[in-house]
Amino acid sequence: MGVTLGEEIMLLSLDDASGATKALSSTGWGVAGGILLDLVMAGRVAVEGGRLEVADRTPTGIPLLDGRLDRIAGWTGGGKRKKASDWLAEDQAKSVRAAVESLCERGLVAEERVRVLGLFPVRRYPEADGSVEREVRERLASVVTGGADPDDRTAGLVALLHAAGLHRQAFPGLPRKRVEPRMAGIAEGDRAGDSVRRAIRDVRAAVAVATTITVVAATS
């Protein structure tokens, strides 16, 4: 595996010039969901009935995924099945930090420390190498606006972007109403194999539950 799903979502959500994260909360759900989906597709964790459990502690060899796998194993207490949506809420901010650190190590973004209003120090991650993000955007465009059949990973990426409400980050130049129906169709489609389709469905559902709970809490 090259760049992970979580890293792809992070790249789409970072402003290339300023390095600021657009829609930070939604990005957190998407990145955490992407990491979780990669772990499910790798057979390391399972999400069934909205519950999360570790299926295999064997490292994947990808530091970003293995770091989250270790955290999930500790969080579930070595076998207890907890809600996947609770895990996403627990780890979304940490997943974002882990994803940008991984992108820095890959040389795709650069870390800069700036002060907001001249007072508050913050980190920004402007683009250093845009080749991967361009490939991701081209792949998304080919299936969402071009009508091509997605491969399994692209279907999973589209499903997560749709569940997290990151339509604008994926297609900044297009109105949401133009891309949302197609993204929803891919997210709910049957082009992927049975096991992959179940993985996408279960993780997408967990992301949707987590984002809904956040919206309700923020407006109550």
Side-chain angles (χ1 to χ4, degrees), residues 111-126:
E111 182 177 282
E112 294 182 354
R113 302 192 179 195
V114 300
R115 289 185 178 274
V116 176
L117 302 177
L119 297 173
F120 308 106
V122 297
R123 291 183 175 91
R124 295 285 188 258
Y125 301 92

Side-chain angles (χ1 to χ4, degrees), residues 25-64:
S25 179
S26 297
T27 296
W29 300 123
V31 171
I35 294 172
L36 182 58
L37 180 55
D38 267 332
L39 288 171
V40 172
M41 294 173 71
R44 298 309 194 270
V45 301
V47 179
E48 296 181 1
R51 300 282 175 172
L52 175 65
E53 64 180 339
V54 175
D56 183 355
R57 286 289 302 273
T58 304
T60 65
I62 301 170
L64 176 61

Side-chain angles (χ1 to χ4, degrees), residues 28-112:
W29 300 123
V31 171
I35 294 172
L36 182 58
L37 180 55
D38 267 332
L39 288 171
V40 172
M41 294 173 71
R44 298 309 194 270
V45 301
V47 179
E48 296 181 1
R51 300 282 175 172
L52 175 65
E53 64 180 339
V54 175
D56 183 355
R57 286 289 302 273
T58 304
T60 65
I62 301 170
L64 176 61
L65 300 185
D66 292 338
R68 304 346 279 166
L69 177 59
D70 288 343
R71 287 184 58 84
I72 291 171
W75 184 75
T76 56
K80 296 172 62 177
R81 298 178 73 242
K82 297 183 179 180
K83 290 182 179 179
S85 57
D86 288 346
W87 164 252
L88 296 175
E90 169 77 17
D91 200 59
Q92 62 156 328
K94 298 180 182 69
S95 288
V96 165
R97 180 62 186 164
V100 293
E101 288 176 350
S102 182
L103 291 173
C104 285
E105 291 171 2
R106 292 179 184 272
L108 299 177
V109 301
E111 182 177 282
E112 294 182 354

